[in-house]
């Protein structure tokens, strides 16, 4: 028999959830991941921080870094037109990102059409 099923007035069954309310899972995951990446000194966290300064506001609204696969930066873009645009800007973006760090963070950039957060 499950301990929480045996006593309906156990702590599990009488939690204070109704008093506290719920927090959206996206908020919890977002803040948790930000802390985790910051603590680990993850390169992608650094790239997220500098992204708009590197590419500008217009590009940042249409392209966002998603992950770092080895030395390849994966970027989600809103359309094939933005995919093409980032291919033209690729070497400049890589150079500017690497100039902000003591060690090179990426050597390649690949774009995929995907959701931006």
């Amino acid at each position: 028999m499950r301990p929480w099923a045996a006593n309906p007035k156990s702590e599990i069954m009488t939690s204070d959830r109704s008093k506290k309310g719920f927090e959206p899972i996206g908020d919890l995951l977002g803040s948790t991941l930000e802390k985790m990446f910051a603590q680990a000194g993850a390169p992608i966290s650094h790239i997220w921080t500098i992204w708009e300064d590197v590419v500008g506001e217009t590009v940042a609204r249409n392209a966002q870094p998603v992950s770092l696969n080895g030395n390849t930066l994966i970027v989600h873009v809103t359309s094939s037109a933005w995919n093409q645009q980032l291919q033209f800007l690729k070497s400049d973006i890589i150079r500017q990102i690497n100039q902000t760090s003591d060690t090179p963070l990426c050597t390649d950039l690949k774009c995929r059409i995907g959701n931006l957060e």
Side-chain angles (χ1 to χ4, degrees):
M1 181 176 249
R2 297 180 189 134
W4 60 86
N7 182 357
K9 294 190 179 200
S10 69
E11 288 181 32
I12 294 172
M13 299 300 289
T14 59
S15 69
D16 289 331
R17 286 185 191 168
S18 60
K19 293 179 185 176
K20 293 180 185 176
F22 291 99
E23 190 170 344
I25 191 75
D27 293 348
L28 292 172
L29 287 175
S31 62
T32 301
L33 290 174
E34 285 176 18
K35 289 176 190 172
M36 185 179 74
F37 284 133
Q39 290 170 354
I44 190 67
S45 178
H46 175 70
I47 293 171
W48 285 333
T49 304
I50 63 167
W51 183 250
E52 189 171 336
D53 292 333
V54 169
V55 299
E57 184 180 341
T58 303
V59 174
R61 281 195 314 258
N62 292 282
Q64 292 181 356
V66 176
S67 65
L68 198 56
N69 186 4
N71 288 332
T72 301
L73 178 62
I74 308 300
V75 176
H76 278 185
V77 294
T78 56
S79 68
S80 57
W82 280 105
N83 184 358
Q84 187 67 32
Q85 182 65 24
L86 261 66
Q87 293 308 310
F88 290 126
L89 300 172
K90 180 178 177 174
S91 60
D92 289 335
I93 292 170
I94 291 169
R95 180 181 45 77
Q96 288 181 36
I97 288 171
N98 288 334
Q99 284 178 346
T100 66
S101 176
D102 294 337
T103 59
L105 299 176
C106 60
T107 56
D108 196 13
L109 183 145
K110 293 192 180 189
C111 297
R112 296 183 180 138
I113 297 174
N115 293 331
L116 306 183
E117 292 184 22

